[in-house]
């Protein structure tokens, strides 16, 4: 889980970050630091004002660079993204990061009078500064004036959790605890795949057993949310497969995929799943077949006769003849988006 922080000047973002570090989000990266590094690479000096920088680089382009770099720095040794991104001041940054299912934004706000007092106490403003002076500084910081890359007022409405920090430190820690607990539960819920993604992921895993040089295809037959059988494309039982032979017969003959299927010794994934059901006396009438690819016409006929009522897939096999057959036979076909190949295991 990655938690981003945005908010007003002296609202308490640093205190929230320290609290989150105590919850195990020890890795932290600042987008303002990344921005200066990238601008220098682009030939723009960090000493330039935000207004000058904003005139010399496209905010959306810069936000994409910043988001990618920040996320890469928060990847742990297992490949998971865990940590805190501070310094979120631009809506393009937030938009890019929100494309990640593991990213959540906490906004921190507080009344100007309270923040003015904190700024004085922390000596972030001069002892003679007035509340009006602070409001002017705050307006520049938030991007309300000055024409800078900042637009914090547009970032705050995008927050998954908004913390109003106008009480004691104990009050803030209590709100942080509730926010963290909510986001932790939400992250677990968001990581949990829906049924279609779940079974298509299983089909992807089954496909890893394929022995075909051209296509790795996996099929899973499901009924009432229970897996009945699986199948992948490979040689018939007891017959040397292409990996063992070291070559593809159709490649040697110069035959394209989906044509002259009788010259290919492989049994297709869909056929193997149906054969497994038949061999073990498992009824598949009314079931759904999840497959990595659309079926060839031969497999489509077998699917219809097996009374499979629905086929879900995300990729296309070079034989599109199944469509009219499915339509006439009343087999529902669903083209799903490809599920993530990542296993979101939580140790």
């Amino acid at each position: 889980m990655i938690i981003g922080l945005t908010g007003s000047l002296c609202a308490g973002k640093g205190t929230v970050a320290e609290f989150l570090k105590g919850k195990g989000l020890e890795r932290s990266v600042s987008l303002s630091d990344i921005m200066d590094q990238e601008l220098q690479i682009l030939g723009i000096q960090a000493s330039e004002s935000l207004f000058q920088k904003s005139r010399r680089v496209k905010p959306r382009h810069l936000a994409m660079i910043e988001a990618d770099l920040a996320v890469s720095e928060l990847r742990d040794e297992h490949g998971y993204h865990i940590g805190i991104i501070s310094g979120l001041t631009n809506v393009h940054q937030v938009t890019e990061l929100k494309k990640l299912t593991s990213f959540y934004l906490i906004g921190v706000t507080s009344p100007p009078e309270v923040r003015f007092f904190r700024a004085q106490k922390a000596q972030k403003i001069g002892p003679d500064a007035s509340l009006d002076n602070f409001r002017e500084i705050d307006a520049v910081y938030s991007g309300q004036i000055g024409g800078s890359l900042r637009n914090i007022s547009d970032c705050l409405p995008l927050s998954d959790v908004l913390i109003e920090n106008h009480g004691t430190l104990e009050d803030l820690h209590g709100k942080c605890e509730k926010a963290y607990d909510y986001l932790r539960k939400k992250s677990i819920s968001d990581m949990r795949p829906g049924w279609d993604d779940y079974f298509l992921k299983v089909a992807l895993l089954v496909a890893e057993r394929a022995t075909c040089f051209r296509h790795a295809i996996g099929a899973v037959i499901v009924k009432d949310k229970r897996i009945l059988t699986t199948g992948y494309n490979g040689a018939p039982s007891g017959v040397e497969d292409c990996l063992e032979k070291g070559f593809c017969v159709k490649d040697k003959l110069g035959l394209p995929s989906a044509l002259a299927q009788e010259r290919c010794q492989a049994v297709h994934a869909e056929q193997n799943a149906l054969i497994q059901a038949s061999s073990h006396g498992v009824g598949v009438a009314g079931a759904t077949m999840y497959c990595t690819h659309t079926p060839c016409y031969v497999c489509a006929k077998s699917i219809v006769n097996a009374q499979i009522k629905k086929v879900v897939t995300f990729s296309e096999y070079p034989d599109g003849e199944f469509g009219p057959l499915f339509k006439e036979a009343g087999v529902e076909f669903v083209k799903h988006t490809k599920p993530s190949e990542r296993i979101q295991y939580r140790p």
Side-chain angles (χ1 to χ4, degrees), residues 10-21:
C10 295
K13 301 182 293 295
T15 305
V16 175
E18 287 304 314
F19 177 89
L20 293 173
K21 288 179 182 178

Side-chain angles (χ1 to χ4, degrees), residues 295 297 300-301 303-304 308-311 320-334:
Y297 191 69
K301 291 188 290 184
I303 288 169
V304 169
I308 298 290
K309 292 302 179 185
K310 183 178 180 180
V311 174
E321 298 299 318
F322 72 92
L325 175 64
F326 276 5
K327 185 175 182 180
E328 183 178 352
V331 176
E332 181 184 357
F333 173 72
V334 176

Side-chain angles (χ1 to χ4, degrees), residues 266-278:
V267 180
H268 285 192
E270 301 94 324
Q271 292 173 320
N272 268 327
L274 293 171
I275 291 168
Q276 286 295 316
S278 177

